[in-house]
Amino acid sequence: MAPLFLVLLLAGGASAGCGGRATTHHKPGTSHEQATGSVGTLLAADDGAGHRLREVPAEGAPQVRIAARPDAEDGWNLQLAVENFRFTPDSTGGAALPGAGHAHLELDGRKIARLYGPWFHLPAAQVPEGPHMLTVRLHADDHTAWAVSGRPVEGETRLTAGAPGRTGGHSHGDAASSSPGPRPAPEPQADRTVTLTVRDGKVTPAPGRTELKRGDRVALRVTSDRADTLHVHGYDKELALRAGQEVTLTLTADRSGLFEVETHESGLVLTQLLVR
């Protein structure tokens, strides 16, 4: 009887561990860069940002192009055109699967966002005045970078930002407007503001739940002592965190459920949005 009870106990524990939502973190005991799949060949080289290259043959390899178009109200709308690739946000942190994963967006070599789909809005506040280079790079679910012939699979486009206070800018191949357009309408005020601080790997106040009604606007004000990326799961909203500077991410809670707000590099859960 005792052995049978032990087998049932172990089986129950295994199925409990496999249930629930798909995790967005790497598995315990492994790093983001560590290979967890057997696709392609893991190279010793990295993409310049610490993510190791996963080499695949050129035939059938993922491809990506990026286009930037000025938004009528603020910043730019970015569109990623991919081939032999699909976005898989639900399995981020798992094993590398052929032609699947997410993308990293860099501005002049500095990561500013992780992308889980073909469209992304880049606010003007994140782009200093002057010419810049936008780079988008394709990554596998285990955070390794897809590569062909020892080079990461990526796309680039040039972008020029106007002086602060002016909307948008222009991208390579787009004509810049000779006169400023109408001033955008101010965003509606947030119904709830959550202020959080990250210092020495600790979150203040301690992580808890932020309860919201569906349709509420919530402003997340975060100050971190190190550069990182703020991400709201379920809404695919991201914002670069600059060391020692307060940033604000505002969103409309138009989906019901429980959504984690976390930092990508340090893997800290800052709060959970409970939307009813």
Side-chain angles (χ1 to χ4, degrees), residues 191-220:
D191 301 292
R192 180 76 180 273
T193 299
V194 181
T195 303
L196 301 160
T197 301
V198 180
R199 182 176 296 277
D200 297 328
K202 296 182 180 179
V203 182
T204 305
R209 289 186 176 179
T210 301
E211 296 192 11
L212 301 166
K213 295 179 181 179
R214 188 168 180 175
D216 282 354
R217 283 180 61 82
V218 58
L220 301 169

PDB file of all heavy atoms in Angstrom, residues 191-220:
ATOM      1  N   ASP A 191      -6.428  56.439 -13.314  1.00  0.00           N
ATOM      2  CA  ASP A 191      -7.336  56.201 -12.184  1.00  0.00           C
ATOM      3  C   ASP A 191      -6.575  55.693 -10.970  1.00  0.00           C
ATOM      4  O   ASP A 191      -7.035  55.845  -9.836  1.00  0.00           O
ATOM      5  CB  ASP A 191      -8.396  55.160 -12.578  1.00  0.00           C
ATOM      6  CG  ASP A 191      -9.226  55.608 -13.773  1.00  0.00           C
ATOM      7  OD1 ASP A 191      -9.996  56.564 -13.606  1.00  0.00           O
ATOM      8  OD2 ASP A 191      -9.093  55.013 -14.852  1.00  0.00           O
ATOM      9  N   ARG A 192      -5.419  55.094 -11.213  1.00  0.00           N
ATOM     10  CA  ARG A 192      -4.626  54.533 -10.123  1.00  0.00           C
ATOM     11  C   ARG A 192      -3.151  54.698 -10.452  1.00  0.00           C
ATOM     12  O   ARG A 192      -2.727  54.434 -11.578  1.00  0.00           O
ATOM     13  CB  ARG A 192      -4.968  53.049  -9.935  1.00  0.00           C
ATOM     14  CG  ARG A 192      -4.211  52.334  -8.827  1.00  0.00           C
ATOM     15  CD  ARG A 192      -4.765  52.703  -7.463  1.00  0.00           C
ATOM     16  NE  ARG A 192      -4.052  52.023  -6.402  1.00  0.00           N
ATOM     17  CZ  ARG A 192      -4.364  50.794  -5.961  1.00  0.00           C
ATOM     18  NH1 ARG A 192      -5.366  50.122  -6.500  1.00  0.00           N
ATOM     19  NH2 ARG A 192      -3.680  50.249  -4.973  1.00  0.00           N
ATOM     20  N   THR A 193      -2.362  55.174  -9.502  1.00  0.00           N
ATOM     21  CA  THR A 193      -0.923  55.322  -9.683  1.00  0.00           C
ATOM     22  C   THR A 193      -0.205  54.430  -8.674  1.00  0.00           C
ATOM     23  O   THR A 193      -0.493  54.479  -7.478  1.00  0.00           O
ATOM     24  CB  THR A 193      -0.470  56.778  -9.495  1.00  0.00           C
ATOM     25  OG1 THR A 193      -1.113  57.604 -10.482  1.00  0.00           O
ATOM     26  CG2 THR A 193       1.033  56.907  -9.662  1.00  0.00           C
ATOM     27  N   VAL A 194       0.707  53.610  -9.171  1.00  0.00           N
ATOM     28  CA  VAL A 194       1.476  52.709  -8.325  1.00  0.00           C
ATOM     29  C   VAL A 194       2.939  53.132  -8.410  1.00  0.00           C
ATOM     30  O   VAL A 194       3.529  53.148  -9.493  1.00  0.00           O
ATOM     31  CB  VAL A 194       1.319  51.243  -8.770  1.00  0.00           C
ATOM     32  CG1 VAL A 194       2.119  50.320  -7.855  1.00  0.00           C
ATOM     33  CG2 VAL A 194      -0.148  50.839  -8.778  1.00  0.00           C
ATOM     34  N   THR A 195       3.533  53.507  -7.278  1.00  0.00           N
ATOM     35  CA  THR A 195       4.927  53.952  -7.236  1.00  0.00           C
ATOM     36  C   THR A 195       5.789  52.862  -6.619  1.00  0.00           C
ATOM     37  O   THR A 195       5.512  52.400  -5.504  1.00  0.00           O
ATOM     38  CB  THR A 195       5.059  55.252  -6.427  1.00  0.00           C
ATOM     39  OG1 THR A 195       4.204  56.263  -6.999  1.00  0.00           O
ATOM     40  CG2 THR A 195       6.491  55.751  -6.436  1.00  0.00           C
ATOM     41  N   LEU A 196       6.822  52.447  -7.347  1.00  0.00           N
ATOM     42  CA  LEU A 196       7.662  51.327  -6.918  1.00  0.00           C
ATOM     43  C   LEU A 196       9.134  51.701  -7.046  1.00  0.00           C
ATOM     44  O   LEU A 196       9.519  52.467  -7.933  1.00  0.00           O
ATOM     45  CB  LEU A 196       7.383  50.093  -7.779  1.00  0.00           C
ATOM     46  CG  LEU A 196       5.938  49.582  -7.776  1.00  0.00           C
ATOM     47  CD1 LEU A 196       5.684  48.718  -8.999  1.00  0.00           C
ATOM     48  CD2 LEU A 196       5.664  48.790  -6.509  1.00  0.00           C
ATOM     49  N   THR A 197       9.952  51.152  -6.157  1.00  0.00           N
ATOM     50  CA  THR A 197      11.392  51.388  -6.188  1.00  0.00           C
ATOM     51  C   THR A 197      12.124  50.052  -6.135  1.00  0.00           C
ATOM     52  O   THR A 197      11.765  49.180  -5.339  1.00  0.00           O
ATOM     53  CB  THR A 197      11.838  52.254  -5.002  1.00  0.00           C
ATOM     54  OG1 THR A 197      11.140  53.510  -5.041  1.00  0.00           O
ATOM     55  CG2 THR A 197      13.336  52.513  -5.045  1.00  0.00           C
ATOM     56  N   VAL A 198      13.122  49.911  -6.991  1.00  0.00           N
ATOM     57  CA  VAL A 198      13.960  48.715  -6.995  1.00  0.00           C
ATOM     58  C   VAL A 198      15.371  49.133  -6.604  1.00  0.00           C
ATOM     59  O   VAL A 198      15.986  49.959  -7.274  1.00  0.00           O
ATOM     60  CB  VAL A 198      13.976  48.039  -8.386  1.00  0.00           C
ATOM     61  CG1 VAL A 198      14.865  46.794  -8.353  1.00  0.00           C
ATOM     62  CG2 VAL A 198      12.569  47.681  -8.827  1.00  0.00           C
ATOM     63  N   ARG A 199      15.857  48.555  -5.506  1.00  0.00           N
ATOM     64  CA  ARG A 199      17.204  48.881  -5.025  1.00  0.00           C
ATOM     65  C   ARG A 199      17.840  47.639  -4.412  1.00  0.00           C
ATOM     66  O   ARG A 199      17.220  46.955  -3.598  1.00  0.00           O
ATOM     67  CB  ARG A 199      17.159  50.014  -3.995  1.00  0.00           C
ATOM     68  CG  ARG A 199      18.540  50.449  -3.490  1.00  0.00           C
ATOM     69  CD  ARG A 199      18.430  51.634  -2.545  1.00  0.00           C
ATOM     70  NE  ARG A 199      17.906  52.794  -3.230  1.00  0.00           N
ATOM     71  CZ  ARG A 199      18.631  53.619  -3.959  1.00  0.00           C
ATOM     72  NH1 ARG A 199      19.927  53.399  -4.102  1.00  0.00           N
ATOM     73  NH2 ARG A 199      18.073  54.651  -4.549  1.00  0.00           N
ATOM     74  N   ASP A 200      19.067  47.343  -4.835  1.00  0.00           N
ATOM     75  CA  ASP A 200      19.817  46.192  -4.311  1.00  0.00           C
ATOM     76  C   ASP A 200      19.020  44.899  -4.424  1.00  0.00           C
ATOM     77  O   ASP A 200      19.043  44.047  -3.519  1.00  0.00           O
ATOM     78  CB  ASP A 200      20.226  46.432  -2.851  1.00  0.00           C
ATOM     79  CG  ASP A 200      21.168  47.621  -2.704  1.00  0.00           C
ATOM     80  OD1 ASP A 200      21.956  47.864  -3.626  1.00  0.00           O
ATOM     81  OD2 ASP A 200      21.089  48.300  -1.658  1.00  0.00           O
ATOM     82  N   GLY A 201      18.271  44.744  -5.514  1.00  0.00           N
ATOM     83  CA  GLY A 201      17.534  43.513  -5.744  1.00  0.00           C
ATOM     84  C   GLY A 201      16.271  43.367  -4.930  1.00  0.00           C
ATOM     85  O   GLY A 201      15.663  42.293  -4.908  1.00  0.00           O
ATOM     86  N   LYS A 202      15.824  44.450  -4.273  1.00  0.00           N
ATOM     87  CA  LYS A 202      14.608  44.411  -3.465  1.00  0.00           C
ATOM     88  C   LYS A 202      13.600  45.440  -3.976  1.00  0.00           C
ATOM     89  O   LYS A 202      13.976  46.505  -4.453  1.00  0.00           O
ATOM     90  CB  LYS A 202      14.928  44.665  -1.991  1.00  0.00           C
ATOM     91  CG  LYS A 202      15.821  43.590  -1.367  1.00  0.00           C
ATOM     92  CD  LYS A 202      16.068  43.880   0.109  1.00  0.00           C
ATOM     93  CE  LYS A 202      16.950  42.810   0.730  1.00  0.00           C
ATOM     94  NZ  LYS A 202      17.219  43.086   2.163  1.00  0.00           N
ATOM     95  N   VAL A 203      12.323  45.102  -3.850  1.00  0.00           N
ATOM     96  CA  VAL A 203      11.244  45.955  -4.333  1.00  0.00           C
ATOM     97  C   VAL A 203      10.548  46.618  -3.147  1.00  0.00           C
ATOM     98  O   VAL A 203      10.208  45.956  -2.170  1.00  0.00           O
ATOM     99  CB  VAL A 203      10.216  45.141  -5.142  1.00  0.00           C
ATOM    100  CG1 VAL A 203       9.123  46.057  -5.692  1.00  0.00           C
ATOM    101  CG2 VAL A 203      10.900  44.390  -6.267  1.00  0.00           C
ATOM    102  N   THR A 204      10.349  47.930  -3.232  1.00  0.00           N
ATOM    103  CA  THR A 204       9.649  48.695  -2.203  1.00  0.00           C
ATOM    104  C   THR A 204       8.505  49.477  -2.844  1.00  0.00           C
ATOM    105  O   THR A 204       8.729  50.192  -3.829  1.00  0.00           O
ATOM    106  CB  THR A 204      10.599  49.683  -1.495  1.00  0.00           C
ATOM    107  OG1 THR A 204      11.723  48.960  -0.985  1.00  0.00           O
ATOM    108  CG2 THR A 204       9.893  50.375  -0.344  1.00  0.00           C
ATOM    109  N   PRO A 205       7.267  49.353  -2.301  1.00  0.00           N
ATOM    110  CA  PRO A 205       6.860  48.441  -1.234  1.00  0.00           C
ATOM    111  C   PRO A 205       6.911  46.991  -1.688  1.00  0.00           C
ATOM    112  O   PRO A 205       7.039  46.718  -2.893  1.00  0.00           O
ATOM    113  CB  PRO A 205       5.421  48.882  -0.946  1.00  0.00           C
ATOM    114  CG  PRO A 205       4.954  49.489  -2.230  1.00  0.00           C
ATOM    115  CD  PRO A 205       6.147  50.161  -2.820  1.00  0.00           C
ATOM    116  N   ALA A 206       6.821  46.072  -0.741  1.00  0.00           N
ATOM    117  CA  ALA A 206       6.911  44.654  -1.055  1.00  0.00           C
ATOM    118  C   ALA A 206       5.854  44.269  -2.090  1.00  0.00           C
ATOM    119  O   ALA A 206       4.737  44.800  -2.064  1.00  0.00           O
ATOM    120  CB  ALA A 206       6.728  43.824   0.217  1.00  0.00           C
ATOM    121  N   PRO A 207       6.196  43.384  -3.026  1.00  0.00           N
ATOM    122  CA  PRO A 207       5.248  43.006  -4.081  1.00  0.00           C
ATOM    123  C   PRO A 207       3.922  42.497  -3.516  1.00  0.00           C
ATOM    124  O   PRO A 207       3.892  41.714  -2.572  1.00  0.00           O
ATOM    125  CB  PRO A 207       5.990  41.884  -4.828  1.00  0.00           C
ATOM    126  CG  PRO A 207       7.429  42.152  -4.563  1.00  0.00           C
ATOM    127  CD  PRO A 207       7.494  42.699  -3.171  1.00  0.00           C
ATOM    128  N   GLY A 208       2.839  42.986  -4.087  1.00  0.00           N
ATOM    129  CA  GLY A 208       1.495  42.570  -3.692  1.00  0.00           C
ATOM    130  C   GLY A 208       0.583  42.651  -4.907  1.00  0.00           C
ATOM    131  O   GLY A 208       1.046  42.581  -6.043  1.00  0.00           O
ATOM    132  N   ARG A 209      -0.696  42.815  -4.663  1.00  0.00           N
ATOM    133  CA  ARG A 209      -1.660  42.907  -5.754  1.00  0.00           C
ATOM    134  C   ARG A 209      -2.255  44.305  -5.821  1.00  0.00           C
ATOM    135  O   ARG A 209      -2.599  44.892  -4.792  1.00  0.00           O
ATOM    136  CB  ARG A 209      -2.776  41.870  -5.585  1.00  0.00           C
ATOM    137  CG  ARG A 209      -2.305  40.445  -5.827  1.00  0.00           C
ATOM    138  CD  ARG A 209      -3.457  39.459  -5.795  1.00  0.00           C
ATOM    139  NE  ARG A 209      -2.996  38.107  -6.125  1.00  0.00           N
ATOM    140  CZ  ARG A 209      -3.778  37.035  -6.151  1.00  0.00           C
ATOM    141  NH1 ARG A 209      -5.080  37.155  -5.864  1.00  0.00           N
ATOM    142  NH2 ARG A 209      -3.279  35.859  -6.445  1.00  0.00           N
ATOM    143  N   THR A 210      -2.362  44.807  -7.037  1.00  0.00           N
ATOM    144  CA  THR A 210      -3.002  46.085  -7.298  1.00  0.00           C
ATOM    145  C   THR A 210      -4.351  45.801  -7.946  1.00  0.00           C
ATOM    146  O   THR A 210      -4.404  45.302  -9.072  1.00  0.00           O
ATOM    147  CB  THR A 210      -2.135  46.956  -8.222  1.00  0.00           C
ATOM    148  OG1 THR A 210      -0.855  47.174  -7.618  1.00  0.00           O
ATOM    149  CG2 THR A 210      -2.811  48.281  -8.484  1.00  0.00           C
ATOM    150  N   GLU A 211      -5.426  46.066  -7.239  1.00  0.00           N
ATOM    151  CA  GLU A 211      -6.760  45.737  -7.749  1.00  0.00           C
ATOM    152  C   GLU A 211      -7.303  46.874  -8.610  1.00  0.00           C
ATOM    153  O   GLU A 211      -7.238  48.050  -8.223  1.00  0.00           O
ATOM    154  CB  GLU A 211      -7.714  45.435  -6.588  1.00  0.00           C
ATOM    155  CG  GLU A 211      -7.312  44.201  -5.792  1.00  0.00           C
ATOM    156  CD  GLU A 211      -8.401  43.736  -4.838  1.00  0.00           C
ATOM    157  OE1 GLU A 211      -9.540  44.246  -4.950  1.00  0.00           O
ATOM    158  OE2 GLU A 211      -8.120  42.865  -4.000  1.00  0.00           O
ATOM    159  N   LEU A 212      -7.837  46.505  -9.774  1.00  0.00           N
ATOM    160  CA  LEU A 212      -8.355  47.481 -10.723  1.00  0.00           C
ATOM    161  C   LEU A 212      -9.694  46.998 -11.270  1.00  0.00           C
ATOM    162  O   LEU A 212      -9.979  45.793 -11.292  1.00  0.00           O
ATOM    163  CB  LEU A 212      -7.378  47.657 -11.893  1.00  0.00           C
ATOM    164  CG  LEU A 212      -5.953  48.116 -11.572  1.00  0.00           C
ATOM    165  CD1 LEU A 212      -5.069  47.898 -12.784  1.00  0.00           C
ATOM    166  CD2 LEU A 212      -5.942  49.578 -11.157  1.00  0.00           C
ATOM    167  N   LYS A 213     -10.489  47.966 -11.707  1.00  0.00           N
ATOM    168  CA  LYS A 213     -11.702  47.634 -12.433  1.00  0.00           C
ATOM    169  C   LYS A 213     -11.388  47.652 -13.923  1.00  0.00           C
ATOM    170  O   LYS A 213     -10.563  48.453 -14.379  1.00  0.00           O
ATOM    171  CB  LYS A 213     -12.813  48.649 -12.132  1.00  0.00           C
ATOM    172  CG  LYS A 213     -13.285  48.640 -10.682  1.00  0.00           C
ATOM    173  CD  LYS A 213     -14.372  49.683 -10.481  1.00  0.00           C
ATOM    174  CE  LYS A 213     -14.845  49.709  -9.032  1.00  0.00           C
ATOM    175  NZ  LYS A 213     -15.883  50.748  -8.819  1.00  0.00           N
ATOM    176  N   ARG A 214     -12.025  46.782 -14.665  1.00  0.00           N
ATOM    177  CA  ARG A 214     -11.787  46.737 -16.098  1.00  0.00           C
ATOM    178  C   ARG A 214     -12.108  48.095 -16.721  1.00  0.00           C
ATOM    179  O   ARG A 214     -13.178  48.656 -16.476  1.00  0.00           O
ATOM    180  CB  ARG A 214     -12.643  45.642 -16.744  1.00  0.00           C
ATOM    181  CG  ARG A 214     -12.300  45.408 -18.212  1.00  0.00           C
ATOM    182  CD  ARG A 214     -12.945  44.149 -18.720  1.00  0.00           C
ATOM    183  NE  ARG A 214     -12.611  43.923 -20.110  1.00  0.00           N
ATOM    184  CZ  ARG A 214     -12.945  42.854 -20.804  1.00  0.00           C
ATOM    185  NH1 ARG A 214     -13.650  41.894 -20.214  1.00  0.00           N
ATOM    186  NH2 ARG A 214     -12.608  42.726 -22.058  1.00  0.00           N
ATOM    187  N   GLY A 215     -11.179  48.610 -17.495  1.00  0.00           N
ATOM    188  CA  GLY A 215     -11.325  49.924 -18.093  1.00  0.00           C
ATOM    189  C   GLY A 215     -10.552  51.003 -17.368  1.00  0.00           C
ATOM    190  O   GLY A 215     -10.383  52.112 -17.893  1.00  0.00           O
ATOM    191  N   ASP A 216     -10.069  50.731 -16.148  1.00  0.00           N
ATOM    192  CA  ASP A 216      -9.264  51.695 -15.401  1.00  0.00           C
ATOM    193  C   ASP A 216      -7.928  51.930 -16.104  1.00  0.00           C
ATOM    194  O   ASP A 216      -7.371  51.025 -16.736  1.00  0.00           O
ATOM    195  CB  ASP A 216      -8.977  51.191 -13.984  1.00  0.00           C
ATOM    196  CG  ASP A 216     -10.158  51.370 -13.049  1.00  0.00           C
ATOM    197  OD1 ASP A 216     -11.155  51.982 -13.476  1.00  0.00           O
ATOM    198  OD2 ASP A 216     -10.083  50.894 -11.900  1.00  0.00           O
ATOM    199  N   ARG A 217      -7.417  53.154 -15.971  1.00  0.00           N
ATOM    200  CA  ARG A 217      -6.061  53.454 -16.422  1.00  0.00           C
ATOM    201  C   ARG A 217      -5.139  53.444 -15.211  1.00  0.00           C
ATOM    202  O   ARG A 217      -5.431  54.082 -14.194  1.00  0.00           O
ATOM    203  CB  ARG A 217      -6.000  54.816 -17.123  1.00  0.00           C
ATOM    204  CG  ARG A 217      -6.552  54.787 -18.547  1.00  0.00           C
ATOM    205  CD  ARG A 217      -6.477  56.155 -19.202  1.00  0.00           C
ATOM    206  NE  ARG A 217      -5.117  56.648 -19.311  1.00  0.00           N
ATOM    207  CZ  ARG A 217      -4.264  56.299 -20.272  1.00  0.00           C
ATOM    208  NH1 ARG A 217      -4.626  55.423 -21.186  1.00  0.00           N
ATOM    209  NH2 ARG A 217      -3.054  56.811 -20.328  1.00  0.00           N
ATOM    210  N   VAL A 218      -4.044  52.722 -15.322  1.00  0.00           N
ATOM    211  CA  VAL A 218      -3.099  52.622 -14.220  1.00  0.00           C
ATOM    212  C   VAL A 218      -1.737  53.135 -14.683  1.00  0.00           C
ATOM    213  O   VAL A 218      -1.293  52.859 -15.789  1.00  0.00           O
ATOM    214  CB  VAL A 218      -2.985  51.170 -13.706  1.00  0.00           C
ATOM    215  CG1 VAL A 218      -2.554  50.218 -14.807  1.00  0.00           C
ATOM    216  CG2 VAL A 218      -2.028  51.086 -12.520  1.00  0.00           C
ATOM    217  N   ALA A 219      -1.105  53.922 -13.838  1.00  0.00           N
ATOM    218  CA  ALA A 219       0.234  54.453 -14.116  1.00  0.00           C
ATOM    219  C   ALA A 219       1.225  53.757 -13.179  1.00  0.00           C
ATOM    220  O   ALA A 219       1.064  53.781 -11.955  1.00  0.00           O
ATOM    221  CB  ALA A 219       0.273  55.958 -13.894  1.00  0.00           C
ATOM    222  N   LEU A 220       2.218  53.118 -13.750  1.00  0.00           N
ATOM    223  CA  LEU A 220       3.261  52.434 -12.987  1.00  0.00           C
ATOM    224  C   LEU A 220       4.503  53.317 -12.981  1.00  0.00           C
ATOM    225  O   LEU A 220       5.160  53.489 -14.005  1.00  0.00           O
ATOM    226  CB  LEU A 220       3.569  51.077 -13.600  1.00  0.00           C
ATOM    227  CG  LEU A 220       2.387  50.094 -13.696  1.00  0.00           C
ATOM    228  CD1 LEU A 220       2.763  48.896 -14.550  1.00  0.00           C
ATOM    229  CD2 LEU A 220       1.948  49.653 -12.308  1.00  0.00           C
TER     230      LEU A 220
END
